[in-house]
Amino acid sequence: MNIPFRPALAGLLCLLAPHARADDALRLDEVVISAPSADDTLRTVPHGVSVITAGDIERAGAQGVGDLLSREAGLNLQSYFGRDKGATVDMRGLGATAVSNVLVLVDGVRLNADDLSGADLSSVALSQVERIEVLRGAGAVRYGDGAVGGIVHIQTRRPRPGPLTGQLDLRSGAWGTREARLRASGGAGPLAASVTLSRLDSDGYRDNDRYAARDSALELSLLPDGPWSFIDLSLRAARHIDEYGLPGPVSAEAFRAGSARRRASSASPQDGGSTDDRTLGARLRADFGDAGLLTLQLDHRDRENPYFIGVQTGVALADQRNVIDSTRRDLRMTHELSVDAFGRRHDLAFGYVSQSSDYLRRENGDSVVGNSTRRSGELNGHAWWGEGVFRLGQGVSINAGLRRDRADSRITGSRYTRECQYIFIPFPVEVPGSCVNAFRATDATASDWRNRASELGASWQVSSVLTVFAADSRHFRSPNIDELALAAPDLRPQRGRTREAGLRARSDTVEFGATVYRMHIEDEIYFDSASGLSVNRNYALPTVRTGVEIDLRWRLRPSLLFAANAGYVQPRFEGSDADVPLVPRRTANLRIEWTPAEARRITFSARHAGRRFDGNDLDNRSFAPLPSYTVFDLALSVRSGAATWSAGVSNLFDKVYSTIAYSNTYYPMPERTAWMGVSWQLE
C-alpha cells in the first residue's frame, strides 16, 4: 500500500500551532533496578545502559516494542515480517545468534522461550509498559544463562489502591490493521487489581501474512498498612493467543522487481501457526528495614505452538502438523541489604535460582508410520549468586559479583514405526494380527554442565557533571532444549568475556554518553543450515566483537529536543577476515521532538543500518550482502481532554529493505504505512 507522503506530511503539520512548552526528557537521574550502581541511578552503572520511560514511549510514536528498542544505541532490529511477532533485537552485533544471546525480561521473568523462537515481543503492549531498562554487556551475574550481549528488562504498570481508572486504546493502520486494548485498575484499602484485554487483527504486508492476537491479564496486589506494611504481595495471570501466516522469503530477483513480487508469498498458503502462551506468577517482597529486602518469586509458563511449514498437496494436513509444547517453572529468591563499614555504606545482594523445563516436539503428525517423530526432554538447573557495590570515597565505587550455575538435561528421540512378528516356513511370513504401530526410541542423550559468571566494575563520579566507568564481565550460554534436540554430537556451552569503558556527562540541557567494548566468545552456538546437515553446533573459531556506542540528548530549546545515537561494531571470527553474519557494522538513529503547544507534539525519526552479510555466509564470499538502508518515520499526537489522538507514517520515503536473508533469499519489510489511533483515559 503506497501512500503519498507529501499530503500526509502536510496534514500532520497543519494540526500544530506555534506555541511552546518543554517536556521532561533528560534521564540520567532515573533509578535503575536491574543493575547495582553507586547512587542507585543510571549515572553510576559501570555499563552502557539506558532507560526508556513511559513518557519516552508516549513521545516516540513507535509501533511496537521492537520498533522502540531498535532506536537505542547499539541495538539493531532483525525482523522477518515487519511486526513484533518474529522480531529479535540484536545487541552489540550478535547477529543470527541474538535470539538466544540477548535476554528479555518482563517484570523480572524471562520472556525468551526455551526453544529457538526467542522472546515473543508481540505479547507485550507498549501502552502497558511503565519503563524499559537496557543493560548492554551486563546481567549475567543476576540473570544467568543467555545474558551475553546484555538484557532488556520491561516493567509493566502495577495496580495501585484507589478509585477505578482505565485506559482504552484504539489503533488502525494499513494492511487491514485494527487494534483495541482496554485496561482497568483500582482498589480499596490494601487491595488493588488490574485487568487488561486486547485484540489485534492484521492482513499483513504480504500474502499469507495474516496475524491475529488476543491478550488478557489479571493482576492482584496486596499492600497492607499497619504492622504488616512491610509486605508487598502480587499475583498475576496472563494469556497470549495468536494465529499467524508464514509467507516465506523471496528470491533476490523478486526482492528487486517491484512491490507485487516482494509482497507475494513464496510458501504454501497453509504455512503458518498459532501460539497459546499461559503464565502464572506470584511475588512476595518483605522489607525488614536494616535487615534488608527479601524477594521471593514463583513463575509457571505453559506454551503450545502448532505450526505448518512446507505444506504439500496430496498429503493430509494432519499428517504434516508440527507442535512444540513446553513448560517452565522458576523459583527466585533475593536478599538485598546495606551495611556500614569503614565509615561508608555498601550495598549487597544475594540470590538463589531454580528452574525446570519440560519439552516435547512432535513432527509430521501423530501416526504416520516411518515419518512421525517426537523429541522430548527436560532441563533442570539451579544457581547461587552474589553481588555488591562498595563505595571507596571521592566518588569512586567498585561493583563485584559472582554466579555459579549448574544445569542438567535429558533428550530422547522416537519414531512412529510398525513392528510385526514373523514365522519362517522356510521364508518369513507375517503372523496375522501381530503388527503393532507405536513410537519407539531412536536415541537418547544426557548432559550436565557447570557454568560461572562474574563481574568486576568501577565508576568514578569526577564531578556532578561527569562520570567515567569500566567493567570486566564473564558470561555463558548453555544449549537450550530445542538446540539439544537437533545437535551436533559435540555441542557444548559457550563462554565469553566482555570488557568495556565509557563516560557519561550531563548539564541542564545536554546528556552525552560513550562506551567502547570488546566481547570475546568461545564456542558460540549457532544453527548450521548452510552445510546441508541443519544442526546446532559451535562455531569452529572464537568470535570477537569490538565496538563503540555514542548517545546524545540535547534540549535545544524548551519546545525542541534533539536525540541521536550511533554504533559501530567489528564482528569478526578470530584469526579470519570474515564478519559474523547478519551484523551491520554501522547503525545510527536520529529523533527530533517538537512540542509547539502543551497538548501537541510532532516526532521525526530516522534509523540507519549498514550492510550486513547473508545469514548463511560464514566466509563472506558465498552470497551477496544485504544492502544498507535508512528509514524515516513521522508521528503526531494531539491531546484533547481525556483523549490523545495520534497519527503517523512509517517508512516515510518508501524504502525497500530487508533485515534478514539466508542463501540469497530475502524477507522484505513493509512499504510506506500510515496509521492513526486514540487513547482515552477513563475515570
Side-chain angles (χ1 to χ4, degrees):
M1 177 178 180
N2 289 321
I3 300 170
F5 69 87
R6 286 172 181 158
L9 175 61
L12 291 173
L13 290 173
C14 73
L15 294 174
L16 297 172
H19 306 292
R21 179 186 179 273
D23 279 308
D24 293 332
L26 302 184
R27 306 173 297 177
L28 274 178
D29 287 333
E30 284 287 341
V31 174
V32 178
I33 67 170
S34 301
S37 64
D39 61 357
D40 298 324
T41 72
L42 166 66
R43 158 193 321 269
T44 56
V45 175
H47 294 280
V49 59
S50 55
V51 173
I52 307 171
T53 67
D56 295 326
I57 294 171
E58 180 185 354
R59 291 189 292 268
Q63 294 303 289
V65 175
D67 181 17
L68 178 74
L69 292 173
S70 70
R71 306 178 186 198
E72 296 296 311
L75 275 62
N76 175 60
L77 184 66
Q78 298 175 7
S79 177
Y80 285 94
F81 310 115
R83 57 175 181 251
D84 274 351
K85 186 73 175 183
T88 298
V89 177
D90 184 7
M91 190 182 296
R92 290 189 166 176
L94 286 157
T97 70
V99 66
S100 300
N101 281 314
V102 177
L103 184 59
V104 181
L105 308 168
V106 178
D107 297 324
V109 182
R110 285 174 177 258
L111 188 61
N112 299 66
D114 284 329
D115 54 35
L116 287 171
S117 61
D120 188 355
L121 301 178
S122 68
S123 64
V124 183
L126 281 180
S127 61
Q128 308 308 315
V129 175
E130 185 68 30
R131 59 190 275 124
I132 301 176
E133 297 177 0
V134 180
L135 276 75
R136 303 165 182 84
V141 168
R142 181 168 292 217
Y143 300 105
D145 191 8
V148 176
I151 68 169
V152 175
H153 193 176
I154 302 170
Q155 296 154 49
T156 60
R157 300 181 183 181
R158 289 200 62 194
R160 296 292 180 184
L164 181 65
T165 61
Q167 180 175 320
L168 175 64
D169 298 296
L170 302 174
R171 184 172 67 93
S172 178
W175 330 118
T177 300
R178 304 167 303 281
E179 182 178 14
R181 184 174 297 272
L182 174 65
R183 183 180 190 272
S185 176
L191 295 175
S194 66
V195 177
T196 303
L197 302 170
S198 72
R199 173 172 181 162
L200 170 63
D201 295 279
S202 177
D203 297 333
Y205 162 62
R206 300 179 58 202
D207 297 340
N208 191 33
D209 195 15
R210 64 193 181 281
Y211 181 69
R214 309 290 182 265
D215 288 271
S216 57
L218 170 65
E219 184 171 359
L220 303 176
S221 178
L222 174 64
L223 296 167
D225 295 324
W228 296 97
S229 61
F230 65 96
I231 293 294
D232 179 350
L233 175 65
S234 62
L235 305 173
R236 178 179 172 84
R239 188 176 189 183
H240 171 79
I241 302 173
D242 64 36
E243 294 183 1
Y244 55 88
L246 295 172
V250 300
S251 67
E253 178 187 3
F255 180 73
R256 294 188 295 265
S259 176
R261 294 282 301 277
R262 281 192 298 274
R263 295 182 61 188
S265 173
S266 63
S268 161
Q270 293 176 305
D271 280 10
S274 63
T275 308
D276 190 347
D277 200 344
R278 304 173 297 277
T279 59
L280 292 171
R283 186 182 69 177
L284 172 66
R285 293 165 61 90
D287 188 348
F288 296 107
D290 292 340
L293 174 66
L294 178 66
T295 303
L296 175 65
Q297 188 160 346
L298 298 167
D299 294 287
H300 181 97
R301 181 181 185 185
D302 286 309
R303 184 172 177 270
E304 182 181 18
N305 176 209
Y307 62 95
F308 297 89
I309 295 180
V311 173
Q312 303 175 31
T313 58
V315 180
L317 194 62
D319 294 340
Q320 303 181 68
R321 185 173 185 258
N322 310 296
V323 183
I324 294 177
D325 289 313
S326 62
T327 301
R328 181 183 176 110
R329 297 163 292 274
D330 289 272
L331 164 66
R332 287 176 296 280
M333 293 186 292
T334 305
H335 186 208
E336 301 170 275
L337 72 161
S338 297
V339 297
D340 292 321
F342 306 105
R344 294 184 177 86
R345 183 177 64 89
H346 311 285
D347 296 327
L348 303 175
F350 306 93
Y352 171 75
V353 180
S354 174
Q355 69 99 2
S356 62
S357 300
D358 300 315
Y359 173 93
L360 174 63
R361 185 173 71 199
R362 294 172 284 163
E363 295 185 325
N364 305 317
D366 292 320
S367 57
V368 182
V369 174
N371 202 31
S372 295
T373 62
R374 291 182 178 178
R375 302 289 292 181
S376 61
E378 59 181 85
L379 177 65
N380 301 293
H382 63 268
W384 295 91
W385 60 269
E387 63 184 1
V389 180
F390 306 94
R391 296 169 178 83
L392 306 183
Q394 304 299 317
V396 177
S397 63
I398 300 295
N399 290 51
L402 179 66
R403 180 188 183 98
R404 293 191 178 275
D405 193 289
R406 179 172 181 174
D408 62 83
S409 63
R410 288 183 293 275
I411 302 293
T412 302
S414 60
R415 184 177 295 274
Y416 194 74
T417 58
R418 181 182 183 89
E419 287 190 358
C420 302
Q421 295 181 2
Y422 293 87
I423 59 174
F424 294 85
I425 52 172
F427 51 85
V429 177
E430 182 180 303
V431 177
S434 68
C435 295
V436 177
N437 297 340
F439 280 95
R440 296 176 172 86
T442 57
D443 61 276
T445 60
S447 303
D448 185 1
W449 293 307
R450 291 172 172 82
N451 295 295
R452 185 179 70 178
S454 63
E455 175 171 320
L456 181 62
S459 66
W460 177 27
Q461 290 184 271
V462 180
S463 67
S464 61
V465 174
L466 176 65
T467 301
V468 297
F469 63 87
D472 187 335
S473 306
R474 295 181 183 271
H475 39 75
F476 67 92
R477 184 172 84 82
S478 297
N480 61 41
I481 293 180
D482 208 9
E483 290 168 322
L484 291 169
L486 191 62
D490 60 345
L491 182 67
R492 54 198 177 276
Q494 67 179 48
R495 295 177 174 87
R497 182 179 188 179
T498 298
R499 296 174 175 175
E500 61 186 294
L503 61 86
R504 300 185 187 93
R506 73 169 292 179
S507 68
D508 292 338
T509 58
V510 176
E511 284 185 3
F512 175 79
T515 307
V516 295
Y517 63 90
R518 184 180 189 271
M519 184 194 308
H520 183 275
I521 301 177
E522 297 275 354
D523 299 323
E524 185 169 342
I525 303 168
Y526 79 108
F527 182 66
D528 179 10
S529 60
S531 65
L533 299 177
S534 295
V535 296
N536 295 284
R537 63 172 73 249
N538 304 95
Y539 278 132
L541 296 174
T543 57
V544 180
R545 295 164 175 88
T546 306
V548 59
E549 299 151 349
I550 298 174
D551 199 351
L552 170 68
R553 294 168 66 87
W554 184 8
R555 176 65 68 182
L556 294 168
R557 53 185 299 180
S559 63
L560 188 62
L561 174 70
F562 174 87
N565 61 65
Y568 176 83
V569 59
Q570 187 181 66
R572 307 292 276 185
F573 291 103
E574 191 171 55
S576 167
D577 62 352
D579 277 13
V580 176
L582 292 183
V583 179
R585 286 198 171 195
R586 296 174 178 82
T587 56
N589 292 276
L590 168 69
R591 186 172 80 256
I592 299 174
E593 296 177 4
W594 181 36
T595 312
E598 181 176 356
R600 301 174 185 177
R601 178 183 299 111
I602 189 167
T603 302
F604 177 79
S605 60
R607 293 176 288 119
H608 172 79
R611 75 167 193 165
R612 66 197 77 182
F613 290 100
D614 187 288
N616 284 332
D617 195 359
L618 297 185
D619 61 7
N620 298 174
R621 298 179 180 88
S622 301
F623 304 104
L626 284 77
S628 63
Y629 61 85
T630 304
V631 178
F632 298 87
D633 301 324
L634 185 65
L636 163 72
S637 67
V638 177
R639 189 169 64 251
S640 176
T644 300
W645 301 84
S646 58
V649 180
S650 302
N651 195 1
L652 188 62
F653 299 105
D654 207 15
K655 179 68 176 179
V656 175
Y657 71 105
S658 174
T659 66
I660 298 174
Y662 286 97
S663 300
N664 217 30
T665 61
Y666 296 79
Y667 291 86
M669 292 296 98
E671 301 167 5
R672 184 186 302 121
T673 304
W675 57 270
M676 64 181 300
V678 61
S679 177
W680 275 288
Q681 296 295 326
L682 308 175
E683 297 182 0

PDB file of all heavy atoms in Angstrom, residues 137-156:
ATOM      1  N   GLY A 137      25.971  -5.599  27.808  1.00  0.00           N
ATOM      2  CA  GLY A 137      27.110  -6.292  28.387  1.00  0.00           C
ATOM      3  C   GLY A 137      26.963  -6.624  29.846  1.00  0.00           C
ATOM      4  O   GLY A 137      27.956  -6.903  30.519  1.00  0.00           O
ATOM      5  N   ALA A 138      25.752  -6.617  30.372  1.00  0.00           N
ATOM      6  CA  ALA A 138      25.537  -6.803  31.810  1.00  0.00           C
ATOM      7  C   ALA A 138      24.429  -7.809  32.045  1.00  0.00           C
ATOM      8  O   ALA A 138      23.706  -8.197  31.129  1.00  0.00           O
ATOM      9  CB  ALA A 138      25.183  -5.473  32.468  1.00  0.00           C
ATOM     10  N   GLY A 139      24.286  -8.220  33.311  1.00  0.00           N
ATOM     11  CA  GLY A 139      23.167  -9.042  33.725  1.00  0.00           C
ATOM     12  C   GLY A 139      23.472 -10.506  33.930  1.00  0.00           C
ATOM     13  O   GLY A 139      22.625 -11.242  34.441  1.00  0.00           O
ATOM     14  N   ALA A 140      24.675 -10.989  33.563  1.00  0.00           N
ATOM     15  CA  ALA A 140      24.950 -12.415  33.660  1.00  0.00           C
ATOM     16  C   ALA A 140      25.012 -12.899  35.098  1.00  0.00           C
ATOM     17  O   ALA A 140      24.623 -14.029  35.393  1.00  0.00           O
ATOM     18  CB  ALA A 140      26.254 -12.741  32.935  1.00  0.00           C
ATOM     19  N   VAL A 141      25.506 -12.068  36.032  1.00  0.00           N
ATOM     20  CA  VAL A 141      25.590 -12.494  37.433  1.00  0.00           C
ATOM     21  C   VAL A 141      24.203 -12.668  38.021  1.00  0.00           C
ATOM     22  O   VAL A 141      23.881 -13.689  38.640  1.00  0.00           O
ATOM     23  CB  VAL A 141      26.419 -11.493  38.257  1.00  0.00           C
ATOM     24  CG1 VAL A 141      26.258 -11.763  39.746  1.00  0.00           C
ATOM     25  CG2 VAL A 141      27.885 -11.560  37.862  1.00  0.00           C
ATOM     26  N   ARG A 142      23.329 -11.705  37.816  1.00  0.00           N
ATOM     27  CA  ARG A 142      21.996 -11.762  38.428  1.00  0.00           C
ATOM     28  C   ARG A 142      21.035 -12.625  37.633  1.00  0.00           C
ATOM     29  O   ARG A 142      20.205 -13.324  38.216  1.00  0.00           O
ATOM     30  CB  ARG A 142      21.434 -10.348  38.590  1.00  0.00           C
ATOM     31  CG  ARG A 142      20.063 -10.302  39.233  1.00  0.00           C
ATOM     32  CD  ARG A 142      19.663  -8.910  39.651  1.00  0.00           C
ATOM     33  NE  ARG A 142      20.468  -8.405  40.752  1.00  0.00           N
ATOM     34  CZ  ARG A 142      19.982  -7.646  41.735  1.00  0.00           C
ATOM     35  NH1 ARG A 142      18.708  -7.324  41.756  1.00  0.00           N
ATOM     36  NH2 ARG A 142      20.770  -7.207  42.689  1.00  0.00           N
ATOM     37  N   TYR A 143      21.127 -12.607  36.294  1.00  0.00           N
ATOM     38  CA  TYR A 143      20.115 -13.261  35.468  1.00  0.00           C
ATOM     39  C   TYR A 143      20.619 -14.499  34.741  1.00  0.00           C
ATOM     40  O   TYR A 143      19.827 -15.250  34.179  1.00  0.00           O
ATOM     41  CB  TYR A 143      19.528 -12.258  34.475  1.00  0.00           C
ATOM     42  CG  TYR A 143      18.873 -11.098  35.176  1.00  0.00           C
ATOM     43  CD1 TYR A 143      19.477  -9.854  35.216  1.00  0.00           C
ATOM     44  CD2 TYR A 143      17.667 -11.259  35.837  1.00  0.00           C
ATOM     45  CE1 TYR A 143      18.885  -8.780  35.874  1.00  0.00           C
ATOM     46  CE2 TYR A 143      17.060 -10.197  36.497  1.00  0.00           C
ATOM     47  CZ  TYR A 143      17.680  -8.962  36.519  1.00  0.00           C
ATOM     48  OH  TYR A 143      17.090  -7.924  37.178  1.00  0.00           O
ATOM     49  N   GLY A 144      21.929 -14.721  34.686  1.00  0.00           N
ATOM     50  CA  GLY A 144      22.459 -16.000  34.266  1.00  0.00           C
ATOM     51  C   GLY A 144      22.456 -16.271  32.779  1.00  0.00           C
ATOM     52  O   GLY A 144      22.827 -15.424  31.954  1.00  0.00           O
ATOM     53  N   ASP A 145      22.046 -17.479  32.427  1.00  0.00           N
ATOM     54  CA  ASP A 145      22.153 -18.032  31.089  1.00  0.00           C
ATOM     55  C   ASP A 145      21.519 -17.120  30.040  1.00  0.00           C
ATOM     56  O   ASP A 145      20.361 -16.733  30.169  1.00  0.00           O
ATOM     57  CB  ASP A 145      21.451 -19.393  31.091  1.00  0.00           C
ATOM     58  CG  ASP A 145      21.719 -20.191  29.837  1.00  0.00           C
ATOM     59  OD1 ASP A 145      22.551 -19.772  29.023  1.00  0.00           O
ATOM     60  OD2 ASP A 145      21.082 -21.248  29.669  1.00  0.00           O
ATOM     61  N   GLY A 146      22.282 -16.784  29.008  1.00  0.00           N
ATOM     62  CA  GLY A 146      21.759 -16.007  27.890  1.00  0.00           C
ATOM     63  C   GLY A 146      21.977 -14.521  27.972  1.00  0.00           C
ATOM     64  O   GLY A 146      21.756 -13.818  26.981  1.00  0.00           O
ATOM     65  N   ALA A 147      22.401 -13.998  29.121  1.00  0.00           N
ATOM     66  CA  ALA A 147      22.669 -12.558  29.238  1.00  0.00           C
ATOM     67  C   ALA A 147      24.073 -12.286  28.727  1.00  0.00           C
ATOM     68  O   ALA A 147      24.986 -11.955  29.475  1.00  0.00           O
ATOM     69  CB  ALA A 147      22.512 -12.101  30.679  1.00  0.00           C
ATOM     70  N   VAL A 148      24.253 -12.427  27.423  1.00  0.00           N
ATOM     71  CA  VAL A 148      25.568 -12.325  26.785  1.00  0.00           C
ATOM     72  C   VAL A 148      25.777 -10.915  26.234  1.00  0.00           C
ATOM     73  O   VAL A 148      26.658 -10.185  26.673  1.00  0.00           O
ATOM     74  CB  VAL A 148      25.710 -13.383  25.675  1.00  0.00           C
ATOM     75  CG1 VAL A 148      27.035 -13.231  24.940  1.00  0.00           C
ATOM     76  CG2 VAL A 148      25.599 -14.785  26.271  1.00  0.00           C
ATOM     77  N   GLY A 149      24.947 -10.528  25.271  1.00  0.00           N
ATOM     78  CA  GLY A 149      25.018  -9.154  24.788  1.00  0.00           C
ATOM     79  C   GLY A 149      24.494  -8.173  25.819  1.00  0.00           C
ATOM     80  O   GLY A 149      24.893  -7.011  25.857  1.00  0.00           O
ATOM     81  N   GLY A 150      23.608  -8.655  26.699  1.00  0.00           N
ATOM     82  CA  GLY A 150      23.007  -7.819  27.730  1.00  0.00           C
ATOM     83  C   GLY A 150      21.571  -8.235  27.961  1.00  0.00           C
ATOM     84  O   GLY A 150      21.127  -9.304  27.522  1.00  0.00           O
ATOM     85  N   ILE A 151      20.828  -7.379  28.657  1.00  0.00           N
ATOM     86  CA  ILE A 151      19.430  -7.681  28.955  1.00  0.00           C
ATOM     87  C   ILE A 151      18.553  -6.485  28.603  1.00  0.00           C
ATOM     88  O   ILE A 151      18.991  -5.342  28.612  1.00  0.00           O
ATOM     89  CB  ILE A 151      19.218  -8.071  30.431  1.00  0.00           C
ATOM     90  CG1 ILE A 151      19.454  -6.868  31.350  1.00  0.00           C
ATOM     91  CG2 ILE A 151      20.111  -9.225  30.829  1.00  0.00           C
ATOM     92  CD1 ILE A 151      19.000  -7.102  32.773  1.00  0.00           C
ATOM     93  N   VAL A 152      17.301  -6.804  28.299  1.00  0.00           N
ATOM     94  CA  VAL A 152      16.239  -5.812  28.148  1.00  0.00           C
ATOM     95  C   VAL A 152      15.197  -6.143  29.204  1.00  0.00           C
ATOM     96  O   VAL A 152      14.585  -7.219  29.170  1.00  0.00           O
ATOM     97  CB  VAL A 152      15.615  -5.858  26.745  1.00  0.00           C
ATOM     98  CG1 VAL A 152      14.431  -4.903  26.658  1.00  0.00           C
ATOM     99  CG2 VAL A 152      16.649  -5.534  25.673  1.00  0.00           C
ATOM    100  N   HIS A 153      15.025  -5.259  30.176  1.00  0.00           N
ATOM    101  CA  HIS A 153      14.089  -5.508  31.278  1.00  0.00           C
ATOM    102  C   HIS A 153      12.878  -4.593  31.116  1.00  0.00           C
ATOM    103  O   HIS A 153      12.974  -3.384  31.297  1.00  0.00           O
ATOM    104  CB  HIS A 153      14.771  -5.260  32.623  1.00  0.00           C
ATOM    105  CG  HIS A 153      13.970  -5.783  33.772  1.00  0.00           C
ATOM    106  ND1 HIS A 153      14.417  -5.748  35.074  1.00  0.00           N
ATOM    107  CD2 HIS A 153      12.732  -6.373  33.829  1.00  0.00           C
ATOM    108  CE1 HIS A 153      13.512  -6.295  35.864  1.00  0.00           C
ATOM    109  NE2 HIS A 153      12.472  -6.667  35.128  1.00  0.00           N
ATOM    110  N   ILE A 154      11.733  -5.192  30.775  1.00  0.00           N
ATOM    111  CA  ILE A 154      10.485  -4.467  30.576  1.00  0.00           C
ATOM    112  C   ILE A 154       9.669  -4.546  31.855  1.00  0.00           C
ATOM    113  O   ILE A 154       9.412  -5.634  32.372  1.00  0.00           O
ATOM    114  CB  ILE A 154       9.691  -5.072  29.402  1.00  0.00           C
ATOM    115  CG1 ILE A 154      10.531  -5.045  28.116  1.00  0.00           C
ATOM    116  CG2 ILE A 154       8.378  -4.339  29.204  1.00  0.00           C
ATOM    117  CD1 ILE A 154       9.922  -5.844  26.975  1.00  0.00           C
ATOM    118  N   GLN A 155       9.276  -3.395  32.368  1.00  0.00           N
ATOM    119  CA  GLN A 155       8.473  -3.350  33.593  1.00  0.00           C
ATOM    120  C   GLN A 155       7.104  -2.768  33.259  1.00  0.00           C
ATOM    121  O   GLN A 155       6.998  -1.679  32.696  1.00  0.00           O
ATOM    122  CB  GLN A 155       9.178  -2.514  34.649  1.00  0.00           C
ATOM    123  CG  GLN A 155      10.503  -3.132  35.095  1.00  0.00           C
ATOM    124  CD  GLN A 155      11.473  -2.120  35.619  1.00  0.00           C
ATOM    125  OE1 GLN A 155      11.115  -1.294  36.450  1.00  0.00           O
ATOM    126  NE2 GLN A 155      12.712  -2.162  35.128  1.00  0.00           N
ATOM    127  N   THR A 156       6.072  -3.504  33.598  1.00  0.00           N
ATOM    128  CA  THR A 156       4.711  -3.098  33.259  1.00  0.00           C
ATOM    129  C   THR A 156       4.082  -2.326  34.419  1.00  0.00           C
ATOM    130  O   THR A 156       4.599  -2.295  35.537  1.00  0.00           O
ATOM    131  CB  THR A 156       3.853  -4.328  32.934  1.00  0.00           C
ATOM    132  OG1 THR A 156       3.806  -5.205  34.063  1.00  0.00           O
ATOM    133  CG2 THR A 156       4.443  -5.081  31.747  1.00  0.00           C
TER     134      THR A 156
END
